Amino acid sequence: QERLVESGGDLVQPGGSLRLSCAASDDIFRHKTISWYRQAPGREREWVALIGTSGLTNVASALRPRFRISRDEAKNTVHLQMNNLPVEDTAAYYCNTEPPFLPWGQGTQVTVSS
């Protein structure tokens, strides 16, 4: 079954770091570009970063260089490393294919607050 499951969200203080994980089914991980998206309260979902099957990456310009995306080939997992987080990064973070075609999962909540 094709699926993606997000994890790793937490409450973190401003300036802190988090690493999110997106566990993918084998078929998705091997053949699809995977993106991270986020949705803050009262705002539309926005694209954050993507990684292709070759490892080619792209991150939204406003989030560079604080955000990095990577693949763990052994675990079929895509990670989003987020550093120096301000409160404005508070959002629910989701992963999906690029373009998104799977049903959206529950996401993982990132809250940046002191």
Side-chain angles (χ1 to χ4, degrees):
Q1 181 179 2
E2 296 180 333
R3 59 181 297 183
L4 295 164
V5 179
E6 307 94 344
S7 64
D10 205 346
L11 171 64
V12 61
Q13 291 189 345
S17 297
L18 275 178
R19 189 178 77 159
L20 306 184
S21 298
C22 172
S25 60
D26 191 64
D27 186 56
I28 292 290
F29 190 80
R30 290 181 182 274
H31 300 296
K32 301 296 184 182
T33 294
I34 295 174
S35 276
W36 280 98
Y37 303 81
R38 69 182 183 181
Q39 187 168 20
R43 303 188 67 173
E44 293 189 355
R45 186 175 285 135
E46 64 176 345
W47 174 79
V48 172
L50 66 78
I51 187 164
T53 55
S54 66
L56 186 68
T57 65
N58 193 13
V59 176
S61 57
L63 300 177
R64 302 174 196 158
R66 296 188 300 109
F67 284 27
R68 296 196 313 272
I69 189 170
S70 62
R71 289 166 61 93
D72 184 336
E73 301 290 339
K75 297 183 178 180
N76 281 13
T77 299
V78 171
H79 295 294
L80 183 70
Q81 178 67 42
M82 308 184 296
N83 300 321
N84 193 21
L85 290 162
V87 295
E88 292 78 15
D89 285 334
T90 294
Y93 285 71
Y94 304 85
C95 58
N96 208 319
T97 56
E98 181 60 40
F101 74 84
L102 292 174
W104 293 98
Q106 294 186 340
T108 188
Q109 179 65 38
V110 173
T111 302
V112 185
S113 175
S114 56

